[in-house]
């Protein structure tokens, strides 16, 4: 099991006080804090090896390139991908999904084709597909969910037909915490030869992912949500698709040869990495993955599940509190509202107690529309959170209730 005191000591920001109160950071769904080893790695890179990658024959460039490519290897192993050719560095989940939406649709989607997403997607996994639909005259279809915030998977077969070209689906809902049965859905999709993209922005930091076992065609996540820097992310894609898809952007690094008559593309994965990438961010991601491996992703999963269950029981005991997202299989997120108290007021008052939660629509407006609400208060957990912090959230909510 986890030594929480030791883990908390690894994250310097958690030692802070805000408004003279100990910081209680429950906004991990938005972004996670960084362990000292990741911060040190970034400083180390800038003080010792900073140099543009893949371009120089000199010592620093070689060192930076080695570290960058080593990070790719760490990500490949972390996801159990078949090859580093399948691991593309992007700016984050959003760019990874946009890459697939743009490039896959260029190659495979024509007028009247259909794309399936789900009712609980983040805007990042809706809007890129809407742009495709507008450009290609294609149709967006939506897997519905029930009032517990679970996908109605029995409806998927009805949505699929000859025109379905891709299913893009979140693994864990950032607004509700629902863990979707992606393996079953991928299996069903593949029975109809339909590829599946998994948005793993909220899952890769909480549970073990094996892309070969899942057999997903694409998977996207963000470095900053998995204890690494901002501005870096991953697109995993099966080589068979990536080889067929045209480049997403043109520029340096993604070419083999360039002439005014014709240019040719670099092999995977560089074909999709145009321009100077956030190589220090990529190196920080490798370091974060090493840190997580040390702690153990299964230990993280078990500890966070216990924390979520504790928090759910405690918050549910408050009669005026309603939880949105009561799926049987959930992870790390509790979204709720307090009767007659606007979520912004509650969030602001919690903040004054040193408790950082997120309020609003969580970039999932269709989820809010489904429940007929303007937003929620969201507490999202990480493995450095404690039961004492959950107690403080509970006490804070009781104080707010009294105030109103
Ligand atoms: N998908 C989900 C499920 C998310 O939670 C987020 C971030 N909130 C994103 C996509 C977008 O991630 P990013 O902003 O890091 O690209």
């Amino acid at each position: 099991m986890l030594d929480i005191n030791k883990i908390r000591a690894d994250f310097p920001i958690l030692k802070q006080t805000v408004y003279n109160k100990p910081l209680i950071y429950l906004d991990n769904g938005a972004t996670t804090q960084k362990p000292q080893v990741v911060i040190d790695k970034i400083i180390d890179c800038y003080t010792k090896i900073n140099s543009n990658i893949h371009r120089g024959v000199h010592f620093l460039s070689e060192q930076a390139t080695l570290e960058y490519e080593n990070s790719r290897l760490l990500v490949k192993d972390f996801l159990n991908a078949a090859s580093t050719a399948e691991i593309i560095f992007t700016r984050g989940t959003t760019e990874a999904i946009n890459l697939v939406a743009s490039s896959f649709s260029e190659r495979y989607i024509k007028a009247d084709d259909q794309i399936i997403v789900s009712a609980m997607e983040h805007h990042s996994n809706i809007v890129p597909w809407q742009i495709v639909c507008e450009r290609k005259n294609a149709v967006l279809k939506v897997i519905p969910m029930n009032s517990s915030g679970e996908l109605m998977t029995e409806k998927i077969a009805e949505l699929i037909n000859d025109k379905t070209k891709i299913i893009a689906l979140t693994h864990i809902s950032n607004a509700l915490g629902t863990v979707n049965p992606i393996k079953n859905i991928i299996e069903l999709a593949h029975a109809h030869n339909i590829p599946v993209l998994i948005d793993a922005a909220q899952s890769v930091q909480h549970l073990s992912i094996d892309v070969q076992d899942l057999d997903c065609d694409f998977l996207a996540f963000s470095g900053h949500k998995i204890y690494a820097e901002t501005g870096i992310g991953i697109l995993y894609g099966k080589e068979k698709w990536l080889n067929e898809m045209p480049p997403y952007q043109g520029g340096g690094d993604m070419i083999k040869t360039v002439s005014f008559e014709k240019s040719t593309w670099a092999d995977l994965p560089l074909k999709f990495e145009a321009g100077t990438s956030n190589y220090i961010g990529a190196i920080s991601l490798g370091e974060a993955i090493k840190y997580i491996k040390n702690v153990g992703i299964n230990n993280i999963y078990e500890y966070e599940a216990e924390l979520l269950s504790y928090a759910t029981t405690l918050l549910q005991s408050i009669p005026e509190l309603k939880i949105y997202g009561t799926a049987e299989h959930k992870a790390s997120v509790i979204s709720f509202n307090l009767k007659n108290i606007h979520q912004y007021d509650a969030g602001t008052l919690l903040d004054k107690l040193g408790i950082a939660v997120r309020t609003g629509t969580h970039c999932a407006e269709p989820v809010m529309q489904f429940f007929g609400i303007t937003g929620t208060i969201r507490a999202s957990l990480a493995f450095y959170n404690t039961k004492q912090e959950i107690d403080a959230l509970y006490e804070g909510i009781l104080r707010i209730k009294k105030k109103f």
Side-chain angles (χ1 to χ4, degrees):
M1 283 315 286
L2 304 186
D3 180 347
I4 294 304
N5 289 334
K6 186 173 168 300
I7 283 168
R8 288 183 66 81
D10 291 338
F11 290 81
I13 206 170
L14 299 179
K15 298 186 186 96
Q16 265 191 93
T17 54
V18 290
Y19 314 112
N20 289 324
K21 309 263 180 350
L23 168 68
I24 296 179
Y25 186 76
L26 301 175
D27 194 16
N28 297 287
T31 199
T32 54
Q33 301 305 345
K34 318 305 168 198
Q36 190 66 51
V37 282
V38 169
I39 299 167
D40 287 347
K41 188 72 186 182
I42 296 163
I43 295 170
D44 237 37
C45 283
Y46 280 118
T47 45
K48 292 183 188 148
I49 63 159
N50 179 46
S51 179
N52 208 332
I53 53 166
H54 291 149
R55 288 160 200 199
V57 289
H58 59 81
F59 181 80
L60 291 190
S61 180
E62 279 178 6
Q63 289 301 304
T65 305
L66 264 176
E67 292 262 17
Y68 181 76
E69 291 304 331
N70 188 46
S71 273
R72 199 192 302 276
L73 192 61
L74 286 161
V75 174
K76 174 219 158 242
D77 289 343
F78 188 59
L79 297 178
N80 194 31
S83 137
T84 48
E86 300 177 322
I87 304 297
I88 293 158
F89 285 114
T90 65
R91 279 195 300 129
T93 308
T94 302
E95 188 177 53
I97 296 173
N98 273 278
L99 188 164
V100 178
S102 165
S103 182
F104 180 90
S105 70
E106 189 57 32
R107 174 76 174 75
Y108 295 105
I109 294 181
K110 53 185 192 316
D112 296 332
D113 280 345
Q114 300 182 358
I115 295 161
I116 297 179
V117 296
S118 91
M120 64 177 77
E121 297 307 317
H122 186 279
H123 297 165
S124 291
N125 201 27
I126 300 173
V127 183
W129 302 110
Q130 284 176 322
I131 292 172
V132 169
C133 286
E134 236 169 67
R135 285 197 186 139
K136 296 276 179 171
N137 238 336
V139 179
L140 192 70
K141 288 183 151 185
V142 183
I143 307 167
M145 66 177 168
N146 64 24
S147 57
S148 305
E150 287 168 327
L151 284 186
M152 298 164 79
T153 48
E154 70 280 6
K155 302 272 184 199
I156 299 175
E158 292 169 26
L159 295 176
I160 288 176
N161 60 36
D162 292 351
K163 300 212 172 282
T164 312
K165 287 293 146 67
I166 191 164
I167 298 179
L169 183 66
T170 195
H171 191 180
I172 296 182
S173 156
N174 70 312
L176 303 170
T178 312
V179 183
N180 287 318
I182 53 169
K183 195 168 174 182
N184 297 345
I185 297 173
I186 292 165
E187 222 172 273
L188 173 69
H190 285 179
H192 295 82
N193 290 323
I194 301 164
V196 180
L197 174 143
I198 298 298
D199 174 352
Q202 295 293 342
S203 63
V204 75
Q205 64 280 52
H206 299 299
L207 45 85
S208 163
I209 287 185
D210 179 331
V211 289
Q212 292 190 72
D213 177 56
L214 283 175
D215 203 22
C216 55
D217 298 274
F218 302 99
L219 182 135
F221 72 88
S222 298
H224 70 98
K225 292 185 199 278
I226 185 168
Y227 312 104
E229 257 198 298
T230 52
I232 190 72
I234 293 294
L235 172 66
Y236 158 81
K238 282 184 182 165
E239 272 191 79
K240 70 167 181 179
W241 297 114
L242 296 177
N243 274 328
E244 292 297 317
M245 285 157 50
Y248 173 52
Q249 293 178 330
D253 248 19
M254 56 70 73
I255 50 88
K256 199 170 266 169
T257 60
V258 175
S259 74
F260 286 114
E261 288 70 40
K262 183 177 168 58
S263 299
T264 57
W265 317 140
D267 293 331
L268 292 174
L270 297 188
K271 173 178 150 188
F272 290 104
E273 292 181 8
T276 299
S277 67
N278 179 4
Y279 55 91
I280 306 255
I283 295 167
S284 84
L285 177 56
E287 200 61 30
I289 285 174
K290 279 198 257 174
Y291 179 82
I292 286 171
K293 276 189 157 174
N294 264 341
V295 179
I297 189 78
N298 291 331
N299 293 335
I300 290 175
Y301 178 78
E302 275 174 32
Y303 176 75
E304 289 178 349
E306 191 185 316
L307 215 52
L308 180 69
S309 157
Y310 181 80
T312 305
T313 307
L314 207 54
L315 296 197
Q316 261 172 348
S317 71
I318 302 171
E320 298 85 354
L321 184 148
K322 180 173 163 61
I323 293 180
Y324 295 89
T326 50
E328 210 172 296
H329 196 187
K330 276 186 68 174
S332 79
V333 168
I334 304 190
S335 244
F336 60 93
N337 271 328
L338 298 167
K339 202 171 174 189
N340 298 330
I341 304 174
H342 195 277
Q343 69 263 12
Y344 291 136
D345 293 331
T348 308
L349 289 168
L350 286 173
D351 174 54
K352 295 294 176 286
L353 301 172
I355 304 171
V357 290
R358 186 137 296 235
T359 55
T361 64
H362 318 297
C363 290
E365 285 184 20
V367 173
M368 304 302 136
Q369 287 153 13
F370 174 83
F371 286 106
I373 52 179
T374 55
T376 71
I377 305 155
R378 183 186 72 180
S380 52
L381 310 171
F383 65 98
Y384 43 61
N385 290 128
T386 63
K387 286 186 180 166
Q388 288 84 340
E389 290 181 318
I390 303 296
D391 291 339
L393 172 67
Y394 171 76
E395 298 293 337
I397 293 169
L398 293 187
R399 280 177 68 171
I400 292 169
K401 255 185 14 146
K402 247 191 210 150
K403 210 177 176 114
F404 276 81

